Amino acid sequence: MDFTLNIWRQDNANAQGSMKEYKVTDISSDTSFLEMLDVLNQNLIEKNEEPISFDNDCREGVCGTCSLYINGEAHGPKKLVTTCQLYMRSFKDGQTIYIEPFRANAFPVVKDLVVDRSAFDRIQQAGGYNSFNTGGAPDANAIPIPKQDAADAFDAAECIGCGACVATCKNSSAMLFVSAKVSQFAYLPQGKVEATERVLNMVNQMDNEGFGNCTNTGACEVECPKGISLENIARLNREFLKANIVPK
């Protein structure tokens, strides 16, 4: 398969970027999207040209670093997959593919397709944890938890922090991410001890990072590679409201 690639190139955060066209040929339909970029980079290196910078790590859909905007969609045309799980058989032979970094003021471009998503780290550091010893596995398992609550907490914890929700939202909102991190504790008894402090600190940090508010369009859930539900945003709003009316 042959493809024409229009890729965003930008030397650094302060440089003016632009799209640049590349050609790749003889790509197997079973090649992953990142492997295709590896082939392109190898060709560029052999021609003494600067390779394209892009984030990747596990290449198993777990780490969330392979965040690319492909033909106007976060992680590309397939649903419930990350970029590293996207294969070239999802495209047509001869197709032109546009590849850009995630766009958000809170995700400044570092170089080419790499963006700085450390804002997510700071939001989690503001409260996405338990600061006390919750005991070992046997101790924790001794606390009765309704099965549905445990399942919902686990579903929320599946968020990998890739930022697709932010890139997809027209307001660059991080509410799906923050709500997942709040929900995974809100369902469990261990998380209720610091619930008030957690939600207030995380929402405050989210606002300080420059993320927008929820648009209520549902685009974030559609493009989330882990299918994180919008129900978590409703829960975040309830937790935030409760934290503001309950006496400190």
Side-chain angles (χ1 to χ4, degrees):
M1 302 178 75
D2 302 337
F3 300 98
T4 298
L5 308 176
N6 281 281
I7 302 178
W8 183 261
R9 301 303 306 264
Q10 185 172 336
D11 288 338
N12 54 61
N14 298 319
Q16 183 174 353
S18 63
M19 302 295 288
K20 187 171 181 180
E21 184 177 288
Y22 299 92
K23 303 283 187 180
V24 290
T25 59
D26 297 325
I27 301 296
S28 169
S29 61
D30 294 326
T31 300
S32 75
F33 199 88
L34 295 189
E35 288 171 340
M36 181 273 296
L37 291 179
D38 290 336
V39 171
L40 173 59
N41 275 344
Q42 185 60 42
N43 293 339
L44 293 176
I45 292 171
E46 290 174 356
K47 293 188 292 186
N48 293 318
E49 296 183 25
E50 181 75 14
I52 296 155
S53 297
F54 62 93
D55 270 332
N56 67 102
D57 191 3
C58 74
R59 299 203 178 195
E60 294 180 344
V62 176
C63 70
T65 61
C66 61
S67 301
L68 298 179
Y69 212 64
I70 303 167
N71 283 351
E73 294 186 82
H75 295 296
K78 301 290 286 185
K79 302 306 177 188
L80 300 177
V81 299
T82 54
T83 299
C84 64
Q85 296 173 302
L86 182 67
Y87 288 84
M88 300 314 295
R89 56 179 171 267
S90 299
F91 302 91
K92 296 180 180 179
D93 184 27
Q95 185 174 349
T96 297
I97 303 173
Y98 291 84
I99 310 170
E100 302 172 77
F102 280 1
R103 306 287 189 180
N105 288 337
F107 289 167
V109 174
V110 176
K111 183 175 182 180
D112 295 338
L113 303 175
V114 179
V115 299
D116 180 359
R117 288 174 295 157
S118 60
F120 272 9
D121 296 330
R122 291 188 289 273
I123 291 173
Q124 290 194 94
Q125 290 163 5
Y129 56 86
N130 285 328
S131 66
F132 53 89
N133 188 347
T134 59
D139 299 324
N141 289 338
I143 303 174
I145 299 173
K147 185 178 186 301
Q148 190 58 52
D149 287 353
D152 289 340
F154 188 83
D155 287 345
E158 285 188 336
C159 171
I160 57 177
C162 68
C165 51
V166 175
T168 300
C169 179
K170 61 184 179 182
N171 280 354
S172 297
S173 173
M175 292 212 31
L176 191 66
F177 166 77
V178 176
S179 69
K181 299 307 175 184
V182 167
S183 290
Q184 70 185 50
F185 292 106
Y187 277 114
L188 305 178
Q190 296 92 335
K192 298 186 186 303
V193 179
E194 297 173 309
T196 298
E197 180 183 356
R198 175 182 300 110
V199 70
L200 292 176
N201 288 346
M202 293 184 74
V203 170
N204 182 61
Q205 187 63 41
M206 175 183 69
D207 292 340
N208 289 340
E209 295 292 345
F211 293 104
N213 200 9
C214 177
T215 63
N216 296 310
T217 62
C220 54
E221 180 181 341
V222 172
E223 297 297 343
C224 175
K226 298 302 177 181
I228 302 300
S229 173
L230 285 174
E231 292 179 0
N232 290 296
I233 295 180
R235 185 168 302 101
L236 170 64
N237 289 333
R238 290 196 298 270
E239 291 288 322
F240 184 74
L241 178 62
K242 184 167 62 175
N244 276 285
I245 61 177
V246 173
K248 306 296 187 295

